[in-house]
């Protein structure tokens, strides 16, 4: 990768590489969170976005090809940090509250991803690369839709409170 970024195009490629790392982290995080989710609906929502994330990774790899650049990832400490924060919080939280922790982590990540794609769309527009604009807009649209679903779910789950375990019902 670049020693020093000296042109807007190099910065674009570097940020594209960060987006690739971001989605790789996101995929790992989604798989971890899905296994910890308590509600079936939340598991399904996370699985749906896991499939979209795989497609987004393929889109980013395609963008590298269209740019004639080797597929390369750049650091993405933000998503690595969000994943770590989610894991740490889950460790110190009772399972009945896990869904709230998961939704917070997923929603925080989605909003970060939206910002990353907004920047990539702007860079592709500036270079007049319409095929890349549509690739990034496809990812952006999925992130926005996912954030919307997660926002609705987080309000619902927060209003419901902790998940009741079967033992609670017999008391
Ligand atoms: Fe996402």
């Amino acid at each position: 990768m670049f020693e020093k970024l000296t042109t807007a195009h190099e910065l674009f490629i570097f940020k594209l590489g960060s987006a690739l790392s971001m989605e790789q982290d996101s995929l790992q995080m989604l798989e971890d969170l899905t296994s910890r989710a308590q509600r079936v609906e939340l598991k399904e929502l996370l699985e749906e976005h896991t499939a979209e994330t795989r497609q987004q990774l393929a889109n980013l790899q395609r963008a590298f090809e269209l740019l004639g650049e080797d597929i390369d990832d750049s650091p993405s400490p933000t998503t690595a940090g969000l994943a770590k924060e989610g894991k740490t919080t889950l460790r110190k939280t009772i399972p009945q509250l896990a869904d709230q922790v998961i939704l917070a982590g997923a929603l925080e990540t989605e909003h970060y991803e939206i910002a990353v794609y907004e920047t990539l769309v702007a860079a592709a527009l500036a270079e007049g690369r319409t095929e890349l604009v549509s690739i990034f807009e496809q990812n952006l649209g999925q992130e926005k839709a996912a954030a919307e679903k997660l926002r609705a779910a987080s309000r619902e789950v927060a209003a419901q409170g902790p998940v009741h375990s079967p033992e609670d019902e017999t008391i």
Side-chain angles (χ1 to χ4, degrees):
M1 262 286 147
F2 307 101
E3 284 281 314
K4 185 110 183 160
L5 303 167
T6 57
T7 65
H9 185 72
E10 286 178 359
L11 179 60
F12 178 22
I13 305 299
F14 184 77
K15 294 298 278 182
L16 181 59
S18 295
L20 194 64
S21 304
M22 170 188 85
E23 292 298 357
Q24 280 159 350
D25 289 344
S26 194
L27 186 63
Q28 179 66 55
M29 186 185 186
L30 281 163
E31 285 169 353
D32 290 347
L33 295 182
T34 304
S35 66
R36 305 290 296 271
Q38 305 290 303
R39 288 168 176 81
V40 179
E41 313 83 59
L42 180 56
K43 274 189 195 290
E44 286 170 358
L45 177 54
L46 296 170
E47 276 164 4
E48 188 190 326
H49 197 54
T50 302
E52 286 176 339
T53 302
R54 288 207 176 89
Q55 193 192 329
Q56 289 168 7
L57 276 164
N59 279 352
L60 293 173
Q61 286 164 353
R62 175 90 188 113
F64 270 106
E65 283 166 24
L66 288 168
L67 283 158
E69 298 283 341
D70 292 336
I71 295 170
D72 197 1
D73 49 3
S74 326
S76 179
T78 307
T79 39
L82 286 170
K84 191 175 170 197
E85 184 184 338
K87 262 188 189 169
T88 310
T89 313
L90 268 177
R91 261 205 304 275
K92 51 194 290 156
T93 308
I94 57 168
Q96 290 89 335
L97 287 169
D99 287 357
Q100 297 196 34
V101 177
I102 289 167
L103 281 161
L107 198 49
E108 287 157 13
T109 305
E110 288 315 313
H111 279 269
Y112 176 71
E113 290 175 341
I114 287 168
V116 167
Y117 286 118
E118 298 277 15
T119 305
L120 289 177
V121 167
L125 278 171
E127 293 198 3
R129 301 294 301 259
T130 47
E131 77 282 36
L132 293 172
V133 172
S134 59
I135 283 179
F136 300 141
E137 277 185 341
Q138 189 189 348
N139 286 14
L140 177 61
Q142 285 179 339
E143 303 299 13
K144 283 184 175 171
E148 195 48 46
K149 287 178 196 167
L150 289 164
R151 187 175 70 92
S154 72
R155 290 186 181 200
E156 214 177 299
V157 164
Q160 285 169 2
V163 171
H164 292 290
S165 64
E167 304 88 74
D168 295 339
E169 316 240 316
T170 57
I171 294 167

